[in-house]
Amino acid sequence: MQLPQRRVETFADFLPRSPEDIPPVYAWFEQMRAGQPVYHTEQFPVWQVFRYADVQAVITDYSNFSSQDTFEGFLQDTLVAKDPPDHRKLRNLVNLAFTPRAVARLSEHVTQITQELLDAVKAAGTMDVVSDVAFPLPAKIIAELLGVPAEDWDIFRRWALFSGGANQNSSEQTGRSPQNMRQEMGSYFLRLLEARRRNPREDLITALSFAEIDGERLSEHELVSFCFLLLAAGQETTKNLIANTILCLTDHPDSLARLQQEPELMPAAIEEVLRYLPPVWFLFRRTIQEVELGGQRIPAGQTVLAWTASANRDAAQFLEPDRFNIEREPNRHFAFGHGIHFCVGAPLARLEARIALPMMLEQLRDLKRVEGVPINIRTGLVFVIRNLPVTFQSAPAS
């Protein structure tokens, strides 16, 4: 089989930079699944995995594929970069942070903030989906969940931008390096944890400050690392899910019109967006021992890149995988990972999207992308739409 020729000098060369780049990348995924499902070259010395079954094995089987120290920067040394038994200890904190009761309590607040954000733009008939709704909504919600004081919102907003992968821009705007920004955030969370020990409140920071796992208090480093992870998982996933949904729906106006008429289809539509254009495109693992995968023997100590975005379009798992189908069932996608590393922010992301998106479609009629304005995409571990200008007609108040 003749595989598509892709110029690959750095890892970024595999990834889309605009909406126009997305179909060719998925075409490449399709040909790699068919011809070289486990792929390795000296030019790019990482084992790339493309098929659904193989990707599932890589991201699920922690006895062969380790997550330990596979993340750098903001997520380094957090839950996502741990294997059992350390992973289990930290994962128990998730039960504290994202209990069904804790997430459900946020519903009213999500509705309130979404309405405030929509009220601020409706009269103009135009907005940028990312900066006007998709970013501020989850950032405000995670700040509320953690218990960040309202007067610290401007500081927290800058950190949310940093954690979401806008590190370079944030550094340029603030004059701070990513390392200094991380130190600043760590010092802030340490002070906040100590303040909550002295004066407890009804917030997650208070719960974390007194948390015990198996009868042991967590170290300050573990608590601060978990706050970092919550900041990233709690807001970045939702931001990209909302932006990706609007991108998909403006590309498929028939589906948009259907959802405006039948908003009860939104939960299934959200799952289809997660499959069709996921917030996370790949995950890294490292082989613990020699392993056979897709007919290839991968030595111990090798880096493996599991293309979850490719797995989500595998015809062996999904009927008509390249068709955007808001009623798809079943839909066992890997947008939030799988197994012990299933995304900690998934319940919150789904809650916010299921509330905010129907409100947007109900109140913003004739929703269209602004023609002639380039949409910038930054894709690393996370697929980030940087800007998404749209026009609309405000629906009359009911």
XYZ file of all heavy atoms in Angstrom, residues 31-106:
624
model
N -5.118 5.373 6.417
C -4.148 4.585 5.676
C -3.148 3.903 6.604
O -2.707 2.778 6.339
C -3.434 5.471 4.655
C -4.383 5.969 3.577
C -3.661 6.342 2.301
O -2.675 5.716 1.930
N -4.156 7.361 1.630
N -2.814 4.551 7.707
C -1.901 3.915 8.660
C -2.581 2.734 9.362
O -1.945 1.702 9.600
C -1.412 4.941 9.688
C -0.547 6.040 9.100
S 0.921 5.439 8.220
C 1.983 5.015 9.608
N -3.852 2.862 9.698
C -4.567 1.723 10.295
C -4.559 0.532 9.351
O -4.429 -0.623 9.773
C -6.014 2.123 10.633
C -6.171 3.049 11.819
C -7.618 3.132 12.284
N -8.536 3.588 11.247
C -8.851 4.862 11.029
N -8.315 5.831 11.784
N -9.695 5.192 10.067
N -4.710 0.801 8.064
C -4.775 -0.278 7.081
C -3.395 -0.853 6.755
O -3.255 -2.066 6.556
C -5.433 0.227 5.798
N -2.384 0.018 6.691
C -1.091 -0.428 6.178
C 0.003 -0.602 7.200
O 0.802 -1.549 7.112
N 0.100 0.287 8.165
C 1.163 0.225 9.175
C 0.588 0.638 10.531
O 0.886 1.726 11.036
C 2.335 1.125 8.777
C 3.081 0.617 7.537
C 4.263 1.491 7.198
O 4.173 2.715 7.225
N 5.383 0.871 6.853
N -0.220 -0.222 11.136
C -0.943 0.161 12.353
C -0.049 0.387 13.564
O -0.456 1.072 14.505
C -1.893 -1.015 12.584
C -1.257 -2.167 11.882
C -0.595 -1.579 10.682
N 1.148 -0.198 13.562
C 2.149 0.088 14.592
C 3.404 0.526 13.843
O 4.038 -0.272 13.150
C 2.419 -1.135 15.487
C 3.502 -0.818 16.506
C 1.139 -1.571 16.189
N 3.761 1.783 13.965
C 4.699 2.414 13.034
C 5.868 3.034 13.787
O 5.684 3.714 14.803
C 3.944 3.487 12.242
C 4.752 4.222 11.201
C 5.289 3.538 10.107
C 4.948 5.599 11.293
C 6.002 4.216 9.136
C 5.665 6.290 10.320
C 6.192 5.585 9.246
O 6.904 6.253 8.288
N 7.086 2.783 13.259
C 8.285 3.319 13.897
C 9.311 3.649 12.826
O 9.529 2.859 11.900
C 8.854 2.283 14.875
C 10.103 2.728 15.577
N 11.366 2.461 15.095
C 10.269 3.427 16.728
C 12.272 2.959 15.920
N 11.636 3.549 16.923
N 9.921 4.820 12.926
C 11.015 5.190 12.029
C 12.139 5.816 12.843
O 11.913 6.342 13.938
C 10.566 6.209 10.952
O 10.225 7.445 11.600
C 9.383 5.705 10.158
N 13.332 5.796 12.311
C 14.467 6.446 12.964
C 14.283 7.958 12.964
O 14.768 8.668 13.843
C 15.777 6.070 12.257
C 16.145 4.603 12.392
C 16.320 4.183 13.840
O 16.831 4.987 14.640
O 15.929 3.046 14.170
N 13.581 8.458 11.947
C 13.376 9.895 11.830
C 12.567 10.437 13.012
O 12.817 11.537 13.499
C 12.635 10.196 10.525
C 12.455 11.683 10.220
C 11.713 11.895 8.922
O 11.016 11.011 8.449
N 11.859 13.072 8.339
N 11.605 9.628 13.457
C 10.779 10.038 14.599
C 10.696 8.835 15.531
O 9.815 7.999 15.393
C 9.387 10.477 14.123
C 8.552 11.079 15.213
C 8.888 12.300 15.778
C 7.431 10.414 15.685
C 8.119 12.848 16.790
C 6.655 10.961 16.697
C 7.001 12.184 17.250
N 11.647 8.686 16.456
C 11.830 7.429 17.200
C 10.806 7.209 18.310
O 11.137 7.083 19.482
C 13.246 7.590 17.770
C 13.414 9.059 17.944
C 12.667 9.694 16.803
N 9.551 7.164 17.898
C 8.450 6.845 18.807
C 7.577 5.818 18.106
O 7.350 5.916 16.896
C 7.626 8.114 19.147
C 6.330 7.759 19.842
C 8.443 9.064 20.017
N 7.096 4.842 18.840
C 6.203 3.830 18.263
C 4.780 4.395 18.243
O 4.185 4.635 19.288
C 6.262 2.551 19.077
C 7.582 1.863 18.996
C 8.703 2.146 19.723
C 7.929 0.794 18.126
N 9.734 1.321 19.358
C 9.292 0.471 18.387
C 7.229 0.059 17.161
C 9.954 -0.550 17.713
C 7.895 -0.955 16.497
C 9.236 -1.262 16.763
N 4.256 4.603 17.019
C 2.919 5.175 16.876
C 1.901 4.059 16.634
O 2.132 3.164 15.825
C 2.895 6.174 15.716
C 3.849 7.344 15.931
C 3.764 8.335 14.789
O 2.731 8.975 14.594
N 4.832 8.460 14.025
N 0.764 4.149 17.312
C -0.255 3.100 17.288
C -1.571 3.723 16.835
O -1.979 4.763 17.360
C -0.405 2.459 18.684
C -1.465 1.384 18.677
C 0.930 1.907 19.154
N -2.274 3.077 15.878
C -3.391 3.711 15.202
C -4.733 2.991 15.351
O -5.781 3.632 15.280
C -3.080 3.861 13.707
C -1.917 4.770 13.429
C -0.617 4.278 13.388
C -2.118 6.122 13.212
C 0.455 5.109 13.144
C -1.045 6.973 12.949
C 0.250 6.469 12.919
N -4.734 1.659 15.493
C -5.995 0.918 15.507
C -6.651 0.949 16.887
O -5.978 1.011 17.917
C -5.767 -0.528 15.083
C -5.482 -0.696 13.607
C -5.211 -2.157 13.262
N -4.938 -2.336 11.839
C -4.449 -3.450 11.304
N -4.173 -4.483 12.085
N -4.235 -3.528 10.004
N -7.981 0.834 16.887
C -8.764 0.920 18.123
C -8.301 -0.111 19.149
O -8.026 0.228 20.316
C -10.247 0.716 17.802
C -11.189 0.909 18.976
C -11.832 2.134 19.169
C -11.458 -0.119 19.865
C -12.704 2.322 20.236
C -12.330 0.053 20.932
C -12.952 1.284 21.102
O -13.813 1.462 22.170
N -8.208 -1.376 18.752
C -7.864 -2.436 19.702
C -6.464 -2.237 20.266
O -6.225 -2.451 21.472
C -7.976 -3.801 19.033
N -5.515 -1.816 19.416
C -4.150 -1.607 19.882
C -4.054 -0.394 20.796
O -3.347 -0.415 21.812
C -3.196 -1.451 18.694
C -3.077 -2.721 17.860
O -3.307 -3.817 18.421
O -2.783 -2.613 16.661
N -4.750 0.681 20.436
C -4.768 1.871 21.283
C -5.365 1.540 22.649
O -4.852 1.954 23.699
C -5.558 3.017 20.607
C -5.855 4.143 21.602
C -4.787 3.555 19.402
N -6.445 0.766 22.642
C -7.061 0.370 23.911
C -6.074 -0.395 24.780
O -5.989 -0.167 25.996
C -8.304 -0.477 23.655
C -9.039 -0.870 24.928
C -10.333 -1.603 24.643
O -10.489 -2.254 23.617
N -11.280 -1.488 25.552
N -5.314 -1.307 24.172
C -4.329 -2.068 24.936
C -3.270 -1.150 25.537
O -2.909 -1.283 26.716
C -3.680 -3.123 24.041
N -2.777 -0.207 24.753
C -1.698 0.674 25.215
C -2.154 1.551 26.378
O -1.433 1.714 27.368
C -1.187 1.548 24.053
C -0.235 2.636 24.567
C -0.483 0.688 23.012
N -3.362 2.127 26.286
C -3.787 3.078 27.322
C -4.432 2.392 28.525
O -4.677 3.044 29.535
C -4.739 4.149 26.753
C -6.055 3.536 26.263
C -4.057 4.919 25.630
C -7.065 4.573 25.764
N -4.671 1.077 28.423
C -5.351 0.364 29.512
C -4.419 -0.569 30.280
O -4.524 -0.687 31.507
C -6.531 -0.460 28.956
O -7.388 0.385 28.198
C -7.339 -1.077 30.097
N -3.506 -1.238 29.578
C -2.673 -2.282 30.185
C -1.442 -1.663 30.845
O -0.368 -1.583 30.250
C -2.261 -3.293 29.118
C -1.387 -4.416 29.668
O -1.231 -4.495 30.909
O -0.849 -5.193 28.856
N -1.590 -1.235 32.098
C -0.478 -0.569 32.778
C 0.604 -1.545 33.219
O 1.680 -1.129 33.655
C -0.981 0.252 33.969
C -1.779 -0.522 34.997
C -1.142 -1.279 35.980
C -3.170 -0.468 35.001
C -1.870 -1.979 36.923
C -3.907 -1.167 35.953
C -3.248 -1.915 36.910
O -3.968 -2.607 37.855
N 0.362 -2.864 33.105
C 1.421 -3.830 33.430
C 2.484 -3.876 32.337
O 3.623 -4.292 32.581
C 0.822 -5.222 33.639
O 0.267 -5.728 32.427
N 2.129 -3.461 31.128
C 3.081 -3.419 30.018
C 3.408 -2.005 29.562
O 4.505 -1.758 29.039
C 2.537 -4.207 28.820
C 2.674 -5.707 28.995
O 3.762 -6.202 29.280
N 1.574 -6.432 28.835
N 2.455 -1.088 29.728
C 2.625 0.271 29.221
C 2.479 1.255 30.385
O 1.385 1.460 30.910
C 1.592 0.571 28.131
C 1.663 -0.360 26.954
C 0.838 -1.482 26.876
C 2.570 -0.138 25.928
C 0.904 -2.346 25.804
C 2.643 -1.001 24.841
C 1.810 -2.111 24.778
N 3.571 1.868 30.756
C 3.615 2.722 31.941
C 3.277 4.168 31.602
O 3.649 4.685 30.541
C 5.007 2.660 32.568
O 5.151 3.619 33.590
N 2.582 4.823 32.534
C 2.328 6.261 32.442
C 3.361 7.057 33.227
O 3.362 8.285 33.163
C 0.937 6.590 32.991
O -0.063 5.970 32.240
N 4.205 6.378 33.968
C 5.137 7.043 34.880
C 6.054 7.988 34.116
O 6.754 7.590 33.180
C 5.991 6.007 35.619
C 6.746 6.546 36.824
C 5.842 6.716 38.029
O 4.834 6.039 38.151
N 6.192 7.634 38.906
N 6.002 9.261 34.506
C 6.905 10.276 33.952
C 6.790 10.407 32.436
O 7.784 10.673 31.741
C 8.356 9.966 34.343
C 8.546 9.917 35.852
O 7.900 10.711 36.543
O 9.320 9.072 36.325
N 5.580 10.237 31.900
C 5.383 10.422 30.457
C 4.875 11.814 30.129
O 4.629 12.125 28.972
C 4.379 9.380 29.908
O 3.182 9.418 30.696
C 4.973 7.985 29.949
N 4.692 12.655 31.140
C 4.252 14.028 30.932
C 5.336 14.977 31.420
O 6.014 14.706 32.411
C 2.950 14.315 31.690
C 1.747 13.627 31.121
C 1.447 12.315 31.473
C 0.919 14.281 30.230
C 0.340 11.672 30.951
C -0.196 13.640 29.705
C -0.482 12.336 30.059
N 5.461 16.097 30.730
C 6.388 17.138 31.143
C 5.610 18.417 31.429
O 4.428 18.526 31.123
C 7.439 17.396 30.054
C 8.325 16.193 29.768
C 9.343 16.469 28.685
O 9.265 17.560 28.071
O 10.206 15.610 28.449
N 6.282 19.380 32.015
C 5.669 20.675 32.223
C 4.576 20.646 33.263
O 4.739 20.103 34.357
N 3.420 21.195 32.895
C 2.366 21.452 33.870
C 1.829 20.176 34.515
O 1.486 20.171 35.696
C 1.231 22.204 33.169
C 0.204 22.739 34.126
C 0.476 23.856 34.899
C -1.019 22.119 34.265
C -0.451 24.339 35.798
C -1.959 22.611 35.152
C -1.677 23.723 35.919
N 1.724 19.079 33.763
C 1.153 17.840 34.294
C 2.204 16.881 34.851
O 1.869 15.787 35.285
C 0.348 17.135 33.196
C -0.910 17.875 32.729
C -1.575 17.118 31.589
C -1.887 18.073 33.878
N 3.451 17.311 34.857
C 4.514 16.463 35.392
C 4.257 16.135 36.856
O 3.885 16.994 37.648
C 5.856 17.180 35.241
C 7.058 16.349 35.665
C 8.350 17.104 35.418
O 8.337 18.247 34.972
N 9.471 16.464 35.689
N 4.421 14.886 37.213
C 4.297 14.410 38.593
C 2.875 14.509 39.140
O 2.664 14.480 40.347
C 5.253 15.181 39.517
C 5.641 14.366 40.734
O 5.670 13.119 40.636
O 5.894 14.952 41.800
N 1.890 14.611 38.256
C 0.504 14.581 38.697
C -0.051 13.165 38.520
O 0.647 12.255 38.089
C -0.369 15.577 37.908
O -0.412 15.165 36.525
C 0.186 16.997 37.993
N -1.318 13.004 38.839
C -1.997 11.716 38.765
C -1.829 11.042 37.405
O -1.641 9.825 37.315
C -3.486 11.938 39.062
C -4.468 10.798 38.831
C -4.204 9.697 39.836
C -5.903 11.311 38.967
N -1.891 11.818 36.319
C -1.850 11.234 34.978
C -0.480 10.656 34.649
O -0.347 9.896 33.685
C -2.258 12.260 33.896
C -3.689 12.716 34.096
C -1.308 13.458 33.893
N 0.551 11.003 35.422
C 1.902 10.516 35.178
C 2.328 9.500 36.228
O 3.517 9.342 36.503
C 2.885 11.679 35.149
N 1.340 8.788 36.813
C 1.625 7.807 37.856
C 1.062 6.445 37.469
O 0.032 6.340 36.811
C 1.001 8.243 39.187
C 1.521 9.564 39.741
C 2.951 9.437 40.238
C 3.405 10.729 40.910
N 4.805 10.639 41.359
N 1.732 5.395 37.948
C 1.240 4.024 37.847
C 0.796 3.560 39.235
O 1.176 4.153 40.247
C 2.353 3.094 37.353
C 2.743 3.341 35.913
O 1.867 3.769 35.132
O 3.917 3.110 35.566
N 0.003 2.479 39.297
C -0.277 1.882 40.607
C 1.042 1.437 41.257
O 1.971 1.036 40.548
C -1.163 0.678 40.266
C -1.785 1.034 38.941
C -0.725 1.815 38.214
N 1.158 1.511 42.621
C 0.102 1.883 43.568
C -0.024 3.380 43.815
O -0.999 3.824 44.413
C 0.546 1.170 44.841
C 2.042 1.172 44.755
C 2.367 1.003 43.300
N 0.977 4.192 43.373
C 0.888 5.634 43.618
C -0.350 6.227 42.966
O -0.975 7.147 43.506
C 2.139 6.333 43.073
C 3.392 6.001 43.865
O 3.247 5.575 45.028
O 4.493 6.148 43.317
N -0.706 5.696 41.788
C -1.876 6.216 41.085
C -3.142 6.034 41.907
O -3.979 6.942 41.996
C -2.035 5.523 39.729
C -3.266 5.927 38.986
N -4.484 5.303 39.176
C -3.492 6.914 38.088
C -5.383 5.874 38.415
N -4.805 6.855 37.741
N -3.311 4.854 42.509
C -4.536 4.596 43.273
C -4.687 5.579 44.426
O -5.772 6.083 44.692
C -4.514 3.172 43.822
C -5.801 2.787 44.556
C -5.652 1.465 45.285
N -4.620 1.528 46.307
C -4.821 2.065 47.516
N -5.993 2.588 47.833
N -3.847 2.081 48.400
N -3.596 5.866 45.100
C -3.634 6.801 46.222
C -4.142 8.166 45.784
O -5.030 8.753 46.408
C -2.234 6.927 46.813
C -2.110 7.937 47.946
C -0.667 8.015 48.410
C -0.489 9.072 49.490
N 0.932 9.201 49.906
N -3.594 8.681 44.680
C -4.002 10.000 44.211
C -5.367 9.972 43.543
O -6.122 10.941 43.605
C -2.947 10.555 43.252
C -1.577 10.848 43.874
C -0.583 11.271 42.806
C -1.689 11.926 44.946
N -5.695 8.840 42.895
C -6.987 8.758 42.217
C -8.140 8.844 43.222
O -9.219 9.337 42.887
C -7.082 7.451 41.435
C -8.359 7.308 40.598
C -8.270 8.084 39.308
N -9.545 8.282 38.674
C -9.701 8.656 37.393
N -8.651 8.852 36.642
N -10.885 8.847 36.885
N -7.895 8.405 44.447
C -8.947 8.502 45.458
C -9.339 9.940 45.739
O -10.453 10.209 46.198
C -8.495 7.816 46.752
C -8.564 6.304 46.662
O -9.267 5.763 45.812
N -7.827 5.614 47.521
N -8.442 10.869 45.460
C -8.789 12.282 45.623
C -9.878 12.705 44.641
O -10.633 13.633 44.900
C -7.560 13.164 45.424
C -6.516 13.169 46.542
C -5.343 14.048 46.149
C -7.118 13.632 47.850
N -9.920 12.024 43.492
C -10.940 12.357 42.502
C -12.332 12.129 43.082
O -13.268 12.900 42.825
C -10.748 11.511 41.221
C -11.844 11.798 40.209
C -9.381 11.780 40.631
N -12.471 11.073 43.876
C -13.770 10.812 44.496
C -14.175 11.949 45.416
O -15.367 12.222 45.609
C -13.707 9.498 45.281
C -13.391 8.317 44.405
O -13.749 8.291 43.230
N -12.696 7.331 44.959
N -13.181 12.622 45.976
C -13.449 13.771 46.829
C -13.837 14.989 45.999
O -14.719 15.755 46.376
C -12.181 14.081 47.649
C -12.260 15.108 48.761
C -13.159 14.615 49.886
C -10.859 15.391 49.298
N -13.179 15.148 44.860
C -13.384 16.348 44.049
C -14.618 16.275 43.167
O -15.363 17.250 43.046
C -12.152 16.584 43.173
N -14.843 15.121 42.540
C -15.897 15.023 41.529
C -16.955 13.996 41.914
O -17.344 13.153 41.109
C -15.289 14.676 40.171
C -14.458 15.779 39.591
C -13.091 15.623 39.434
C -15.032 16.974 39.205
C -12.315 16.636 38.903
C -14.267 17.996 38.665
C -12.907 17.834 38.516
N -17.419 14.049 43.148
C -18.545 13.203 43.530
C -19.768 13.651 42.753
O -19.883 14.823 42.372
C -18.829 13.319 45.035
O -19.232 14.663 45.324
C -17.615 12.952 45.861
N -20.723 12.741 42.487
C -21.947 13.157 41.797
C -22.645 14.332 42.500
O -23.158 15.240 41.844
C -22.810 11.892 41.833
C -21.820 10.774 41.872
C -20.671 11.285 42.713
N -22.625 14.325 43.820
C -23.267 15.403 44.566
C -22.546 16.733 44.342
O -23.182 17.768 44.127
C -23.285 15.061 46.055
C -23.970 16.110 46.923
C -23.940 15.701 48.389
N -24.526 16.715 49.241
C -24.507 16.676 50.555
N -23.927 15.643 51.178
N -25.055 17.633 51.269
N -21.192 16.692 44.385
C -20.427 17.919 44.205
C -20.614 18.496 42.809
O -20.766 19.711 42.636
C -18.944 17.646 44.471
N -20.619 17.624 41.802
C -20.801 18.083 40.428
C -22.218 18.613 40.216
O -22.419 19.671 39.602
C -20.479 16.949 39.436
C -20.865 17.350 38.015
C -18.992 16.594 39.496
N -23.208 17.897 40.733
C -24.602 18.320 40.548
C -24.864 19.669 41.197
O -25.676 20.466 40.694
C -25.546 17.266 41.121
N -24.184 19.964 42.308
C -24.386 21.241 42.999
C -23.993 22.418 42.123
O -24.444 23.548 42.335
C -23.563 21.284 44.293
C -24.234 20.640 45.487
C -23.678 21.201 46.790
N -22.227 21.133 46.856
C -21.543 20.155 47.464
N -22.188 19.163 48.050
N -20.228 20.173 47.487
N -23.139 22.151 41.136
C -22.653 23.228 40.282
C -23.620 23.576 39.150
O -23.429 24.575 38.464
C -21.308 22.838 39.674
C -20.134 22.713 40.658
C -18.932 22.134 39.960
C -19.802 24.070 41.262
